[in-house]
Amino acid sequence: MNPNLENIVKWLLWLVASAFVLVAIAVTTLRVTLPNLNHFQPEIHQWINKSAGVEVEFGELGGFWRNTHPSLYLQDVKTKVVDDSSISVGAERVEIEFDLIQSILQRQPVVADLTVHKLALDLSDIDFFATEDTDSSQTISPSNDNQPVIDQINQILLRQLDEFAVLDSQIVYRGIDQEVRRLDVERLRWRNNERFHEAEGVVSVAGTTLNSLLIKSKFVDHGSLRDISGEIFVSAENVEVTHWVKSFLAQDTGIQKGQVSFNGWLTLSRNQPTDAYLELLPSELSWKRSEEHELLLESGILQLNPKKEGWVVSAHSINLRTDDIPWPELDIGFEWLKEGWQLNVSQLDLEAILPLVRLVPDIQSTKSYLIS
């Protein structure tokens, strides 16, 4: 063998052996150290505060191994996003998983994954649905200046973490209609790649029948969560709408059950909706007066477009059935504006819709109009 080639092979073997020894030493050291991390709490506390960019308080600290990665956990985590802000963040447990190889190569801790259990976050003071060029008195309420809070949240969610998960958590927020609501998060996985972001999980809106909604989102940020463009997908099965339907219909209708299933797509441009699609899945409404009746929605497609301060809805291929009587396939045009609404329907079968008449307020005039 060529002496030079032999030296190169020996050098490479020595390098590989040294790397294995170094990794073995690191693994052994970590296995001994992880169960006793509380002894290093001041140093770890300082590193966490520096990495998060905010002051973080926590109770118990410990370490463990997961997926061949060293990990640490923090119990009873509390922090304020900004010192002078009323917005605080709490979590029952935070688990941080480190990439051992990358940490050795970069000679600093490299986070491979982060999981937050039972997060409690109140963002109701911030209107994330307002446009960036809207007057501040209209976009943020009730605080006069929450911009530092928004900047810090943007930095954490969009820049500092490559990937994280949130489990069994609650987020209080201000909706697009300015009502304060609570989002119960069963699970949520968030991924960042520079300005491109993905989120996927299962959530419920507290106080409503919107339970176990599957959410998927891909979007691009324009510098803030209040200025994003992308798509949101929502899927729901057997959403209970009985109470909601009763509020729009006549009293004592005898409604027994109302369930809706759907898939929905919403497109945003600079945080403003540009269009939406709704795929209606098998849904039903049942009621009983002198006899039982059932309205079945088998399928349909809805396209929604914003117009002024309302929506224009175009419905196609709506397949309905009242009891055993099929409706003609419907095409529907609907305008829902601030000053009122207007409905256009392609065709109706009176025999199919007569059982529905008793659900409508002012039944006598309605029935007389249909029969005439």
Side-chain angles (χ1 to χ4, degrees):
M1 180 181 290
N2 188 301
N4 291 332
L5 180 60
E6 184 177 355
N7 289 335
I8 292 174
V9 171
K10 288 182 179 180
W11 183 82
L12 289 174
L13 290 174
W14 178 85
L15 185 63
V16 171
S18 299
F20 276 116
V21 170
L22 182 62
V23 172
I25 293 174
V27 170
T28 303
T29 303
L30 287 170
R31 287 190 179 277
V32 173
T33 305
L34 283 177
N36 303 289
L37 280 181
N38 259 324
H39 296 295
F40 305 95
Q41 189 170 125
E43 291 83 359
I44 295 175
H45 195 179
Q46 183 179 6
W47 172 78
I48 291 174
N49 289 342
K50 182 179 179 180
S51 300
V54 294
E55 184 68 25
V56 179
E57 298 178 0
F58 55 86
E60 184 182 349
L61 167 70
F64 61 98
W65 282 86
R66 172 184 289 166
N67 302 327
T68 69
H69 289 165
S71 306
L72 65 85
Y73 69 85
L74 311 174
Q75 291 287 138
D76 302 323
V77 180
K78 296 180 181 179
T79 183
K80 278 196 171 184
V81 180
V82 176
D83 290 340
D84 296 333
S85 170
S86 60
I87 299 176
S88 61
V89 184
E92 184 177 290
R93 182 182 174 96
V94 176
E95 297 175 353
I96 307 173
E97 185 177 328
F98 297 95
D99 188 320
L100 179 59
I101 303 301
Q102 289 299 319
S103 297
I104 292 174
L105 294 177
Q106 298 184 30
R107 293 183 294 178
Q108 64 179 1
V110 176
V111 176
D113 195 16
L114 184 144
T115 303
V116 181
H117 298 263
K118 296 189 181 300
L119 172 72
L121 176 61
D122 187 344
L123 299 174
S124 58
D125 277 358
I126 303 175
D127 182 4
F128 284 104
F129 295 97
T131 56
E132 287 291 340
D133 57 354
T134 306
D135 184 79
S136 62
S137 63
Q138 298 175 339
T139 59
I140 300 179
S141 173
S143 301
N144 292 327
D145 188 10
N146 278 328
Q147 191 58 46
V149 178
I150 297 173
D151 292 341
Q152 189 63 58
I153 292 174
N154 288 329
Q155 183 66 20
I156 294 173
L157 294 183
L158 302 179
R159 303 287 180 259
Q160 288 185 328
L161 301 172
D162 291 333
E163 184 172 351
F164 63 92
V166 177
L167 303 174
D168 301 324
S169 302
Q170 295 182 349
I171 301 174
V172 179
Y173 68 100
R174 185 174 298 276
I176 196 168
D177 58 357
Q178 300 302 307
E179 292 292 327
V180 175
R181 294 185 174 87
R182 192 187 81 218
L183 190 70
D184 294 333
V185 180
E186 180 180 329
R187 57 178 172 84
L188 176 67
R189 170 67 63 175
W190 188 293
R191 299 179 181 89
N192 295 321
N193 183 11
E194 296 181 349
R195 292 176 54 244
F196 298 91
H197 314 278
E198 295 183 28
E200 179 178 350
V202 177
V203 302
S204 302
V205 181
T208 72
T209 57
L210 297 176
N211 299 320
S212 299
L213 299 177
L214 173 63
I215 305 289
K216 295 182 180 180
S217 177
K218 292 184 178 181
F219 63 93
V220 177
D221 78 84
H222 302 285
S224 170
L225 281 172
R226 296 170 61 215
D227 191 6
I228 65 172
S229 299
E231 294 185 347
I232 300 173
F233 169 78
V234 180
S235 180
E237 293 185 1
N238 300 324
V239 176
E240 184 68 36
V241 295
T242 306
H243 179 75
W244 180 80
V245 170
K246 284 182 177 179
S247 67
F248 285 90
L249 301 178
Q251 298 296 318
D252 302 323
T253 54
I255 290 179
Q256 297 175 323
K257 182 174 67 172
Q259 290 184 335
V260 175
S261 300
F262 63 88
N263 293 325
W265 294 262
L266 173 65
T267 302
L268 297 175
S269 178
R270 299 279 182 167
N271 259 40
Q272 297 302 302
T274 58
D275 60 63
Y277 288 88
L278 202 63
E279 178 189 14
L280 301 174
L281 304 177
S283 307
E284 62 178 314
L285 177 68
S286 61
W287 67 99
K288 181 177 181 180
R289 298 284 290 184
S290 57
E291 56 186 15
E292 291 188 2
H293 294 283
E294 189 174 46
L295 175 65
L296 297 178
L297 170 61
E298 298 175 350
S299 62
I301 300 293
L302 273 65
Q303 180 179 354
L304 299 87
N305 297 100
K307 180 180 179 180
K308 298 180 181 178
E309 296 184 8
W311 290 86
V312 175
V313 182
S314 300
H316 306 283
S317 303
I318 304 297
N319 294 302
L320 291 165
R321 181 184 298 272
T322 305
D323 300 333
D324 293 325
I325 303 174
W327 293 39
E329 187 174 286
L330 298 179
D331 291 326
I332 301 173
F334 180 68
E335 288 193 5
W336 184 8
L337 305 177
K338 187 176 181 180
E339 57 270 17
W341 59 272
Q342 182 178 351
L343 175 67
N344 294 308
V345 182
S346 58
Q347 56 182 326
L348 289 175
D349 186 333
L350 292 182
E351 185 181 0
I353 68 171
L354 277 177
L356 298 172
V357 173
R358 289 190 177 274
L359 302 180
V360 182
D362 194 9
I363 176 173
Q364 293 299 326
S365 61
T366 304
K367 186 175 182 179
S368 300
Y369 173 78
L370 289 172
I371 293 175
S372 63

